[in-house]
Amino acid sequence: MISTIEVYPETKAEWNLLREYGRDRIRIHRLEAFDTFIDVHEFGAALTSFFHSGQQAIVAYADPFAYLAPETDYLGVCLTPFAGRLNTEGEAVQNYLCGIDLPPLLLHSGEQGGARRFWDLVEQSGNSMTLAYTVEDGADGFCGKRRFSVRYALTGPGELELYLRCESDRETIANIGFHPYFNLSKYPDINLHELRIYAEEIYLTDERMLPKWECRYPTQGSMLDFCPRSKCRKQLQQSLKYARSQAGEKPAAEQADESPEQAEIRASLAQFAGLDHYFITQPKPQEAESEKGELRRQVRVYAPDTQSILELLSDAPGVVVYSGQHCGKYEEVPKPRDLNANRLVTAYCALAIEPQMVPDGPNNPELLQDYIVSPEKPQERRIIYRLTPPEDLRHGPDTADFKIFDDPLA
């Protein structure tokens, strides 16, 4: 079942925000099925609620107009045409840019990207809805007249599937992605969460936060070792504690029991004051061709206080996990009409779990072809989030698979 909430401006500032986009109201679309509901804000096609069996998984702005503010945290938005950072001065990238001038370092497509646009509800059925927008050639700095769409579908109890698609009338580049923030705990931060990431390698970044292409860094034994084989259930808490204590400080010298790679990973935690890393979940290139585009489990999160589990599966080659250390750019003032007053958006309030291709990938000749979109070759991304509260773990058909009483992260 689909319903729509319309929110009208109440202040001059809100009217002015809407006038910039030629709108007179904001629409929030609600999709309900299988004892689950989601809310999707039409600005950025942002996921603002994911609720199942008494568990709210999403951290969102309480005020719907906060999404239109100049400084926001990309909460729940669809990232089009390009997720992550992109060096627009790269020689290979220049061939696919036109129209408006873009900054040398572009983050999440900038002011003209899909995160800063209204998406129209174009299709709906019993358990799914599709939002889309079309952008003219060069209007966002990228070549091609393109249509971006996202299909939200509830496919089972606590199961949300997204299908993102980019179509273009000429050759261009894209890295479509999604930027939801999750907190499964009763508390306003992520300190209690336990984390598994099904990846054994990451890309580290340089001073511009662009990937270092020279090697894939192994996470084993490091402060970013979230692999299932790791015995440390509290790795997230330990890593964040270190990052927060060292933020802005010169990293300590290499320790006796760590490799140079592990020392660099530790330094990156201090650099970012938390997690903001790309974890490679696809096998190594020589092993990956047959598995390219397959749906695979990438992340599992567990909150011991609520005993809730969130899983991510996608066909992306990797996932960015961000610990929300810079959240809180928009200072919220609660109002009576607020729709999502579940949590305040503050530093470390949530984990952003973002399946996508490698940021800045087109500037790596070995990866460029994966980013090219043409009339014959649209780009597609399939993403599944599974939310499992304790009631489902104890009584649902898949209890044995979750092993809640042994290891909920197994």
Side-chain angles (χ1 to χ4, degrees):
M1 182 177 72
I2 296 173
S3 58
T4 299
I5 302 168
E6 295 186 336
V7 184
Y8 290 86
E10 297 176 350
T11 67
K12 184 177 180 180
E14 292 172 352
W15 276 110
N16 289 338
L17 277 174
L18 284 176
R19 283 195 189 104
E20 290 182 25
Y21 298 95
R23 304 274 175 148
D24 64 354
R25 75 198 76 178
I26 286 173
R27 294 178 177 88
I28 312 288
H29 306 294
R30 172 164 291 189
L31 177 64
E32 296 183 71
F34 305 108
D35 191 31
T36 306
F37 76 79
I38 62 169
D39 290 327
V40 177
H41 195 301
E42 63 178 344
F43 193 76
L47 180 66
T48 61
S49 283
F50 180 18
F51 192 91
H52 173 54
S53 292
Q55 175 69 59
Q56 171 65 272
I58 288 292
V59 172
Y61 291 123
D63 182 0
F65 283 89
Y67 288 85
L68 281 67
E71 287 288 324
T72 63
D73 302 293
Y74 299 99
L75 266 65
V77 296
C78 292
L79 298 173
T80 55
F82 210 92
R85 288 171 174 80
L86 178 66
N87 174 15
T88 61
E89 297 178 325
E91 185 176 343
V93 170
Q94 289 290 316
N95 297 325
Y96 304 100
L97 303 180
C98 62
I100 66 170
D101 292 332
L102 295 173
L105 187 60
L106 191 67
L107 175 63
H108 297 326
S109 305
E111 288 301 309
Q112 299 301 319
R116 303 294 304 167
R117 290 176 179 267
F118 278 87
W119 296 54
D120 295 317
L121 181 64
V122 296
E123 187 178 328
Q124 53 186 304
S125 66
N127 67 335
S128 71
M129 59 183 173
T130 300
L131 290 85
Y133 78 94
T134 299
V135 60
E136 297 297 327
D137 184 26
D140 56 2
F142 290 80
C143 295
K145 180 178 180 180
R146 284 145 296 136
R147 182 181 187 269
F148 297 97
S149 62
V150 57
R151 178 178 178 266
Y152 284 96
L154 293 173
T155 51
E159 183 165 294
L160 170 63
E161 180 171 344
L162 286 85
Y163 180 73
L164 285 153
R165 183 178 173 91
C166 168
E167 303 166 86
S168 178
D169 67 352
R170 59 179 287 197
E171 195 169 277
T172 187
I173 55 172
N175 181 15
I176 52 179
F178 188 49
H179 205 280
Y181 284 76
F182 296 99
N183 185 329
L184 307 181
S185 174
K186 299 175 184 176
Y187 296 95
D189 57 45
I190 55 173
N191 286 336
L192 284 182
H193 287 64
E194 299 176 12
L195 178 65
R196 285 285 183 261
I197 303 176
Y198 295 81
E200 298 192 358
E201 295 178 310
I202 62 170
Y203 280 116
L204 290 184
T205 57
D206 60 20
E207 63 281 355
R208 300 178 71 194
M209 297 187 72
L210 296 173
K212 297 178 182 179
W213 299 118
E214 56 267 23
C215 72
R216 296 153 61 120
Y217 287 72
T219 59
Q220 184 171 2
S222 76
M223 297 189 79
L224 292 180
D225 189 357
F226 300 108
C227 293
R229 52 159 171 68
S230 171
K231 300 301 182 184
C232 183
R233 294 276 296 272
K234 304 295 183 181
Q235 186 62 62
L236 179 62
Q237 293 93 316
Q238 293 177 14
S239 297
L240 290 181
K241 182 178 179 180
Y242 174 81
R244 296 173 80 164
S245 68
Q246 298 294 315
E249 300 292 330
K250 184 178 179 180
E254 184 177 320
Q255 299 173 0
D257 59 345
E258 69 179 355
S259 67
E261 292 83 5
Q262 291 171 350
E264 283 199 56
I265 287 174
R266 180 166 53 81
S268 73
L269 277 167
Q271 174 192 357
F272 298 146
L275 274 70
D276 195 359
H277 296 76
Y278 186 86
F279 291 82
I280 306 166
T281 58
Q282 183 171 277
K284 294 180 180 179
Q286 62 268 27
E287 305 168 359
E289 200 56 42
S290 63
E291 297 186 29
K292 206 173 210 178
E294 287 188 2
L295 200 66
R296 63 179 64 82
R297 180 191 283 178
Q298 294 177 307
V299 177
R300 213 168 199 218
V301 183
Y302 174 60
D305 63 324
T306 63
Q307 295 190 336
S308 294
I309 289 175
L310 179 83
E311 290 183 285
L312 163 68
L313 300 87
S314 92
D315 57 6
V319 58
V320 173
V321 179
Y322 168 55
S323 53
Q325 53 268 31
H326 301 300
C327 282
K329 294 183 178 71
Y330 177 83
E331 186 175 348
E332 293 188 86
V333 180
K335 300 176 182 178
R337 66 166 184 221
D338 287 348
L339 303 177
N340 262 320
N342 50 330
R343 291 184 180 91
L344 286 178
V345 179
T346 57
Y348 303 97
C349 66
L351 279 170
I353 303 173
E354 317 160 38
Q356 59 185 254
M357 293 191 289
V358 189
D360 199 45
N363 284 305
N364 182 339
E366 295 180 4
L367 300 178
L368 175 60
Q369 285 300 315
D370 292 336
Y371 295 78
I372 291 178
V373 180
S374 68
E376 300 79 26
K377 183 189 171 188
Q379 187 176 112
E380 300 170 337
R381 177 71 58 236
R382 186 182 174 204
I383 303 166
I384 295 175
Y385 293 99
R386 289 177 181 156
L387 175 61
T388 311
E391 290 79 6
D392 289 4
L393 288 168
R394 293 192 178 94
H395 307 299
D398 297 325
T399 301
D401 294 338
F402 286 99
K403 302 176 184 174
I404 181 66
F405 300 110
D406 298 323
D407 184 0
L409 296 178

